Amino acid sequence: MPIQIVRNDITKMKCDAIVNAANRTLLGGGGVDGAIHRAAGRELLEECRKLGGCKTGEAKITKAYRLPCKYVIHTVGPIWHGGHHHEEEQLISCYRNSLRLAEQHHCETVAFPLISAGAYGYPKEQALQTAVSEICRFLMHHDLTVYIVVFDKDCFQISKRLLHDITEYIDECYVEAHHGENSVRMDAYLFENARMRGQGQPRQRSLSLAEAMAGIDESFSQMLMRKIDEKGMTDAQCYKKANIDRKLFSKIRSNPNYKPSKTTAIAFAVALELSLEETNDMLMKAGFALSHSNVFDIMIEYFIKNGVYDIFTINEALFEFDQVLLGQ
Ligand code: AR6
């Protein structure tokens, strides 16, 4: 997945480069900087001494020594002074310059901490939003996989209103799905399938083979390509918006019978801004359905019904509810 939010200690990330939220001396400090220097060993400090410091918003690269990655990119985030002192601009520069350096060194995978969101006091939610939007902007034109590594879950202070609405929606759907039922899962599934075929009740009679064969129509891959054309999108616009990498997209494109995972199928439905009905149709073609028996499906339904088609907003909310994320 081109951009992934993961909960981890960045010093454990096995990727080509990790980014350090350093200070202007580049001689180490607390927080993530301290952790990186401790894990890399003294040689990192020795190399850093030769760099002559780094200005806010800029980035410099070193080897990674004992860390399980190849490079450390050191960038200096802005100190938060209330938001009217070019903090956002400087934070954007940190991401942009770090990503450029990574690319110049042929890195394919890069992990960022939430720069400035600790000792430098940048509000975490804003720091995360800036990180996601700047990384996405870069990925529109470059093929890299970028991890945003968060240490503490409170980075995900997704809008309280959204959180409240999702929780309420899940509660309502759960009550509705679990009301007096023992086999909720199957009933919900059957009902959903019946509903999608335009019938009020679950279908009782099983299909004959001939009937089933006659019913094979457009595949997932074919529907995806058709929808991309209908929406006037380019392939790249679609897979980037879906947070899917080019290789996987090419596989789907070249194999009409490709069976994607459920999260991949939903990611495309979101990227194409499909209605709930169309999403269900697309999911069916991949062998899946949305039901009211699990939180993940209810949340997806909520977003689509409410026209929330930004995959990163959706993933932040899914993360908050400990659900799998959309994309590959
Ligand atoms: N892995 C991932 N994230 C971490 C880790 C870790 N091991 N440790 C902390 N974080 P901060 P800043 C998160 O303070 O705000 C240093 O002293 C942390 O929860 O490390 O840019 C430097 O030398 C927070 O969300 O960096 C500078 O003087 C984020 O990383 C100053 O702090 C950044 O917190 C830089 O401050």
Side-chain angles (χ1 to χ4, degrees), residues 8-10 21 23 29-33 35 114 116-120 124 151-152:
N8 203 348
D9 174 348
I10 203 164
N23 58 50
V32 75
D33 196 8
L114 270 189
S116 286
Y120 281 179
K124 289 195 182 201
F151 217 33
D152 35 8

Side-chain angles (χ1 to χ4, degrees), residues 210-222:
E211 281 171 322
M213 298 293 283
I216 294 177
D217 48 9
E218 199 185 32
S219 69
F220 171 82
S221 163
Q222 288 162 338

Side-chain angles (χ1 to χ4, degrees), residues 162-174:
L162 181 61
L163 196 63
H164 171 265
D165 289 353
I166 296 170
T167 312
E168 213 166 56
Y169 191 71
I170 292 171
D171 286 350
E172 273 169 28
C173 294
Y174 250 146

Side-chain angles (χ1 to χ4, degrees), residues 22-37:
N23 58 50
R24 293 202 284 183
T25 68
L26 295 189
L27 299 179
V32 75
D33 196 8
I36 288 175
H37 274 273

Side-chain angles (χ1 to χ4, degrees), residues 16-121:
D16 294 329
I18 63 168
V19 177
N20 181 17
N23 58 50
R24 293 202 284 183
T25 68
L26 295 189
L27 299 179
V32 75
D33 196 8
I36 288 175
H37 274 273
R38 273 193 303 280
R42 278 219 64 86
E43 291 131 299
L44 178 61
L45 184 60
E46 277 156 31
E47 187 176 351
C48 282
R49 277 190 213 289
K50 297 178 195 148
L51 298 177
C54 180
K55 291 191 189 137
T56 305
E58 295 187 355
K60 295 198 173 171
I61 193 163
T62 63
K63 285 182 270 179
Y65 302 98
R66 281 184 242 155
L67 288 161
C69 53
K70 286 191 221 150
Y71 300 105
V72 178
I73 295 170
H74 307 262
T75 188
V76 183
I79 299 175
W80 180 258
H81 290 295
H84 301 293
H85 297 80
H86 307 288
E87 291 95 331
E88 191 183 2
E89 229 170 88
Q90 289 171 330
L91 191 59
I92 288 174
S93 294
C94 288
Y95 285 99
R96 194 172 298 164
N97 288 324
S98 302
L99 286 165
R100 278 191 195 141
L101 259 187
E103 193 165 57
Q104 283 160 14
H105 287 76
H106 310 290
C107 297
E108 291 182 352
T109 49
V110 184
F112 280 90
L114 270 189
I115 298 162
S116 286
Y120 281 179

